[in-house]
Amino acid sequence: MDYKRYIAEKIKIDGVSADEIYSSVTLPPDTQMGDFALPCFKFAKIFRKSPAVIAEELKSAFNIDKVITEVSAVNGYLNFKVNRYEFAKTVISEIENRKDKFGSSVVGNGKTICIDYSSVNIAKPFHIGHLSTTVIGGALYKLFKFLGYNVVGINHLGDYGTQFGKLICAYKHWGNKEEVESGGIHAINDLYVRFNNEADEDMQAEAREYFKLIESGDEEANALFEWFKALTMDYVNAIYKKLNITFDSYAGERFYSDKMQPVIDELEEKRLLETSEGAKIVDLEKFGMPPCLILRSDGASLYATRDLAAAIYRKNTYDFYKCLYVVAYQQNLHFKQVFKVLELMGKDWASDLVHVAYGMVSLEDGAMSTRKGKVVWLEDVISKCIDKAYIIINEKNPDLENKKEIAEKVGLGAVIFGALYNNKIKDIVFSYDKVLSFEGETSVYVQYTCARANSVLSKSMTGGSLPENYEPNTAEFELVKQLAQFPEILAEAADKYEPSYIARFAVDLAQKFNKFYIDCKILAAEDEKSRQFRLSLTSATLQTLKNSLSILGIGVPDKM
């Protein structure tokens, strides 16, 4: 039962829908006040009365029953107390019945969501700046699938541009096939960095010619490009596998080479294209934006041209309900321009395009991706987290079996959670010590809580079953209420495109479980009813924590 919905539908306010009331029902900070509360301040304008008077009138009109056992009006709040046993039974039974599907829904049935994320550049290694787009996009992919949507994960590869001419030129001058095969992506990147540092004007001209050869379909130039691409994909797919990231499409910039001209033609037909200093633009001045550049003066296309073609292709191919672009906030203007141009073209679905912006990632020493080869590679960050996790686990539990496998789950979880815990728009300073702490707001703390719960259940041998007519105490009931919020948290995370809601929920749930663990004896409970209820509650908590971390792409070790 959705208790908030039950409350909302029992309250009748003229001019206010049950959905509006539902969205206003909250959890009071103090359980003594009630289990749910309705702030009445927003209704003051409707009634032309004080919130305190409104709360009193709503209280008088509310009929208590076996579900809602008490209603009180306090300082403009309408507070509700529920039948704790029935509430706990409802929540725990649902988790027991649905298990790894608890929290899932069918709200997305029949709707497709495209998510453009990670978008790696061919011939360039992952640096730490790619972490956020990859794990935020990966979490949203899993979240929307969990809510019943058909999700299309798109890796919009950076596989088009003059840099590939430069790379072929560098390889022709300094490259060695065996060295590149053995060195992979980093050998390719070294060649590219060397070109940027050493190339003279003649080599720059040669690089432009090689790019033209790629565009014209030259066999040798394209064979080299495809080789560089294959080496890149081998490298990135190994990282994606570790981070539990999947894609359904790798259609990148090059894919849209033959799809841009129809867009340009349509812009011409609709008289949106103007000439400015030899370049083709869409004037957006009256919308408070600089012009959107479509073609440079030399006729070359730009990111905007390809993104316009990509959006139209995705709508025609997938008929999406929403199309998300998980890209750093530095591209805010770019996406505003692209979305506005599509709107001016008469694409009524332009309002279904969403830029999911996020902040930047740096290390504590300030290091992050820079030019000239000075970069922090993502695989180095992952390896360092796993190595540090192994050292910490070995110190805490030297006799633990499978320490390497556990350290990998813990280290990878720390990397992912470290990028997801804070609001996505915030810049992140990545601290190895902080993300690997067994205390505080970390995945390690949540994973350790799972291991603790699993240990209790393993020792119980038989597990628990819900006893009849059991009255939960405060610590037990606080934990039950936290569990009950999970479906709502997922819906809110999806609505705001904000995986941090799930990460924070998991930490809050772990904290409430650990308080319950300290306050309430489980295996040595004072009576069998209490023991059975607490084991059921422990099992429900473990399942919900696993579901939370699974959506974020984080594994859960049985022991730590």
Side-chain angles (χ1 to χ4, degrees):
M1 174 189 289
D2 185 337
Y3 279 71
K4 285 177 63 175
R5 177 66 61 186
Y6 185 83
I7 290 168
E9 290 179 351
K10 280 180 67 85
I11 296 173
K12 306 300 179 186
I13 303 175
D14 289 340
V16 181
S17 69
D19 284 342
E20 289 177 273
I21 297 171
Y22 174 83
S23 66
S24 299
V25 177
T26 63
L27 298 179
D30 183 0
T31 305
Q32 298 303 315
M33 297 168 63
D35 302 314
F36 295 94
L38 177 66
C40 296
F41 305 95
K42 68 188 304 183
F43 308 129
K45 283 187 179 179
I46 297 173
F47 285 100
R48 299 182 182 275
K49 296 175 183 176
S50 73
V53 170
I54 296 169
E56 285 290 349
E57 290 180 352
L58 292 176
K59 172 194 165 187
S60 299
F62 194 95
N63 294 318
I64 61 173
D65 53 27
K66 67 176 184 178
V67 176
I68 308 298
T69 58
E70 186 181 325
V71 181
S72 62
V74 181
N75 298 326
Y77 286 85
L78 194 62
N79 296 324
F80 307 89
K81 288 193 175 181
V82 303
N83 181 317
R84 288 191 170 188
Y85 167 70
E86 289 297 331
F87 184 87
K89 182 180 177 182
T90 299
V91 173
I92 295 173
S93 295
E94 184 179 0
I95 299 170
E96 286 180 346
N97 291 334
R98 302 198 68 200
K99 294 186 169 42
D100 60 357
K101 299 297 183 186
F102 173 61
S104 67
S105 75
V106 295
V107 68
N109 277 11
K111 297 175 182 176
T112 294
I113 288 187
C114 294
I115 308 179
D116 177 333
Y117 64 107
S118 197
S119 301
V120 294
N121 293 313
I122 297 303
K124 290 185 181 178
F126 258 130
H127 58 69
I128 194 172
H130 290 107
L131 175 61
S132 291
T133 175
T134 303
V135 298
I136 291 171
L140 291 175
Y141 182 94
K142 295 175 184 67
L143 171 60
F144 282 110
K145 269 193 174 289
F146 202 62
L147 298 180
Y149 291 87
N150 173 44
V151 187
V152 181
I154 300 171
N155 197 329
H156 187 72
L157 299 175
D159 57 1
Y160 187 91
T162 55
Q163 67 267 31
F164 298 110
K166 294 176 182 179
L167 185 56
I168 291 174
C169 182
Y171 176 73
K172 287 283 192 177
H173 279 269
W174 307 305
N176 175 285
K177 185 173 183 180
E178 289 71 26
E179 287 178 4
V180 172
E181 284 285 359
S182 61
I185 189 81
H186 291 289
I188 300 171
N189 187 68
D190 288 344
L191 287 171
Y192 184 68
V193 171
R194 184 174 177 182
F195 181 93
N196 286 329
N197 289 335
E198 300 180 22
D200 57 19
E201 287 187 15
D202 289 340
M203 286 186 70
Q204 293 284 359
E206 189 180 336
R208 288 191 290 273
E209 286 302 314
Y210 276 121
F211 178 56
K212 286 180 182 178
L213 287 173
I214 294 174
E215 286 193 298
S216 64
D218 179 79
E219 189 174 333
E220 183 193 14
N222 276 279
L224 284 170
F225 172 80
E226 290 298 334
W227 178 42
F228 297 146
K229 181 176 180 179
L231 290 171
T232 304
M233 296 314 296
D234 285 346
Y235 160 83
V236 297
N237 283 332
I239 293 178
Y240 288 144
K241 187 175 181 180
K242 284 185 175 182
L243 295 175
N244 195 17
I245 300 292
T246 55
F247 294 96
D248 304 290
S249 167
Y250 288 89
E253 292 183 75
R254 201 174 184 208
F255 178 78
Y256 298 102
S257 296
D258 62 350
K259 298 171 180 62
M260 291 184 285
Q261 192 57 48
V263 177
I264 295 165
D265 293 342
E266 187 175 346
L267 288 168
E268 289 272 20
E269 288 167 14
K270 293 179 176 175
R271 298 184 178 180
L272 292 170
L273 215 53
E274 299 179 15
T275 302
S276 175
E277 298 179 8
K280 295 290 187 180
I281 66 163
V282 176
D283 186 3
L284 299 175
E285 185 180 357
K286 63 182 174 184
F287 303 105
M289 288 181 270
C292 182
L293 193 56
I294 303 298
L295 292 173
R296 288 200 304 234
S297 57
D298 63 359
S301 62
L302 294 105
Y303 286 121
T305 330
R306 294 187 283 278
D307 279 343
L308 290 168
I312 292 169
Y313 173 84
R314 290 169 189 174
K315 183 61 181 178
N316 291 339
T317 304
Y318 304 113
D319 191 22
F320 54 71
Y321 165 72
K322 296 286 182 185
C323 182
L324 313 183
Y325 297 81
V326 186
V327 182
Y329 62 66
Q330 284 90 340
Q331 298 300 317
N332 282 354
L333 175 61
H334 168 79
F335 284 107
K336 282 181 182 177
Q337 289 177 310
V338 169
F339 298 169
K340 178 56 71 174
V341 170
L342 287 164
E343 182 187 322
L344 294 173
M345 291 173 75
K347 312 298 183 186
D348 56 0
W349 45 265
S351 58
D352 299 326
L353 305 174
V354 182
H355 176 205
V356 181
Y358 60 84
M360 303 307 290
V361 181
S362 62
L363 297 181
E364 287 179 298
D365 61 4
M368 59 185 298
S369 171
T370 61
R371 295 182 180 179
K372 303 299 183 183
K374 297 177 182 177
V375 294
V376 179
W377 303 128
L378 182 54
E379 70 260 35
D380 292 340
V381 174
I382 291 172
S383 294
K384 190 170 180 179
C385 266
I386 292 172
D387 291 345
K388 279 180 169 286
Y390 182 84
I391 292 168
I392 294 168
I393 290 168
N394 194 47
E395 287 174 354
K396 286 185 173 289
N397 194 351
D399 297 326
L400 184 65
E401 295 179 355
N402 304 318
K403 280 182 284 191
K404 284 188 177 179
E405 291 85 347
I406 292 169
E408 181 152 329
K409 282 186 180 178
V410 170
L412 287 168
V415 172
I416 296 168
F417 203 84
L420 293 180
Y421 184 74
N422 290 307
N423 186 293
K424 63 181 180 292
I425 204 62
K426 288 186 177 180
D427 289 340
I428 299 168
V429 178
F430 191 90
S431 162
Y432 292 104
D433 291 336
K434 195 176 290 182
V435 300
L436 286 165
S437 173
F438 272 68
E439 298 176 358
E441 299 159 339
T442 66
S443 60
V444 186
Y445 174 72
V446 179
Q447 287 171 320
Y448 184 71
T449 302
C450 289
R452 169 177 275 178
N454 194 61
S455 175
V456 170
L457 294 169
S458 297
K459 290 174 184 174
S460 74
M461 303 299 287
T462 58
S465 58
L466 278 172
E468 290 296 321
N469 300 317
Y470 180 83
E471 181 71 15
N473 64 29
T474 299
E476 292 166 339
F477 195 63
E478 284 296 312
L479 183 53
V480 170
K481 283 207 297 181
Q482 183 70 17
L483 291 169
Q485 290 184 68
F486 185 53
E488 189 178 341
I489 291 291
L490 296 185
E492 193 173 1
D495 184 57
K496 301 287 199 313
Y497 312 111
E498 188 59 85
S500 67
Y501 289 5
I502 305 169
R504 288 181 178 274
F505 168 84
V507 169
D508 291 343
L509 179 57
Q511 289 172 342
K512 282 190 168 59
F513 175 79
N514 286 315
K515 186 178 187 311
F516 154 77
Y517 180 86
I518 292 167
D519 291 352
C520 305
K521 294 177 180 177
I522 302 175
L523 295 175
E526 52 273 22
D527 56 64
E528 188 57 21
K529 260 192 174 185
S530 298
R531 183 178 186 274
Q532 290 298 315
F533 179 82
R534 290 169 189 172
L535 284 170
S536 293
L537 187 51
T538 298
S539 178
T541 302
L542 176 59
Q543 184 65 66
T544 307
L545 287 173
K546 282 183 173 180
N547 291 5
S548 304
L549 292 180
S550 175
I551 291 170
L552 300 179
I554 298 171
V556 178
D558 292 333
K559 297 179 180 180
M560 278 178 69

